[in-house]
């Protein structure tokens, strides 16, 4: 238990990159709360997380990944800089989320793609989803097709 207290003292962005999955989970939970709390969409606070949002969606621990996806969604909904992350995040959703057994993860992945479309990034989202159609995993191909269908409505 001693090493828990070490990462507890870290800033949120460092927790999100920690090697211990519980630290990352805690970081994603705190990031989610932070993203919901920041009222200014142009706050410099958003910039700290630009390079981390892909990690939120490609998290290797399934429990932590769900929180990471929720935090990524809050970031995309609220940050004016979210559009800068579209390519790498959608690519991460395609390769690391659409093949998950948890329906909730896939649903959040789809919602993330649709939110990017809402913030005027439809072309990049479509490109990444179309690339996903070449994947050897049928689950990923189906999820890409379903998301494309929803996004084109």
């Amino acid at each position: 238990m001693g090493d828990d207290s070490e990462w507890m003292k870290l800033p949120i962005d460092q927790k999100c990159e920690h090697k211990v999955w519980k630290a990352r989970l805690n970081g994603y939970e705190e990031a989610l709360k932070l993203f919901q709390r920041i009222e200014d969409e142009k706050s410099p606070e958003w910039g700290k997380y630009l390079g981390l949002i892909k990690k939120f969606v490609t998290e290797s621990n399934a429990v932590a990944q769900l929180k990471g996806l929720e935090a990524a969604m809050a970031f995309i909904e609220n940050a004016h800089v979210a559009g800068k992350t579209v390519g790498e995040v959608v690519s991460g959703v395609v390769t690391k989320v659409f093949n998950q057994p948890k329906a909730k993860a896939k649903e959040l992945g789809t919602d993330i793609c649709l939110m990017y479309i809402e913030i005027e990034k439809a072309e990049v989202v479509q490109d990444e989803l179309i690339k996903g159609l070449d994947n050897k995993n049928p689950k990923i191909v189906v999820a890409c097709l379903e998301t494309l269908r929803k996004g084109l409505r």
Side-chain angles (χ1 to χ4, degrees):
M1 266 335 233
D3 60 326
D4 267 16
S5 58
E6 285 308 305
W7 61 255
M8 292 293 280
K9 297 173 191 150
L10 293 171
I12 299 171
D13 55 330
Q14 286 179 25
K15 285 183 191 176
C16 293
E17 293 185 283
H18 204 277
K19 64 181 188 288
V20 176
W21 75 269
K22 284 183 182 175
R24 293 193 307 271
L25 174 64
N26 181 273
Y28 301 147
E29 287 170 344
E30 288 184 32
L32 174 62
K33 288 178 194 153
L34 175 71
F35 297 162
Q36 291 169 334
R37 226 181 21 243
I38 299 174
E39 289 182 16
D40 178 7
E41 68 171 27
K42 291 186 168 27
S43 166
E45 193 68 23
W46 296 116
K48 278 189 201 173
Y49 296 91
L50 267 179
L52 292 176
I53 299 302
K54 182 178 182 180
K55 286 186 171 87
F56 284 33
V57 299
T58 59
E59 167 63 50
S60 57
N61 179 285
V63 175
Q65 186 186 38
L66 281 175
K67 262 306 160 215
L69 288 165
E70 287 176 32
M73 184 68 180
F75 180 88
I76 299 158
E77 284 175 321
N78 298 308
H80 79 291
V81 292
K84 293 179 181 177
T85 62
V86 64
E88 60 181 19
V89 171
V90 174
S91 159
V93 166
V94 168
T95 57
K96 298 287 189 203
V97 179
F98 283 166
N99 64 350
Q100 289 296 327
K102 282 191 161 72
K104 180 79 176 141
K106 279 189 219 156
E107 195 180 299
L108 281 164
T110 299
D111 290 348
I112 284 171
C113 293
L114 298 176
M115 182 53 65
Y116 275 124
I117 290 171
E118 244 178 74
I119 63 167
E120 312 295 320
K121 294 294 176 188
E123 203 172 293
V124 184
V125 172
Q126 268 180 325
D127 290 349
E128 290 300 330
L129 291 172
I130 289 168
K131 284 181 205 167
L133 298 178
D134 292 336
N135 199 291
K136 291 188 182 4
N137 184 331
K139 281 184 187 175
I140 291 176
V141 173
V142 169
C144 286
L145 284 169
E146 287 173 354
T147 306
L148 274 167
R149 190 179 47 79
K150 286 178 185 172
L152 296 173
R153 277 192 200 148

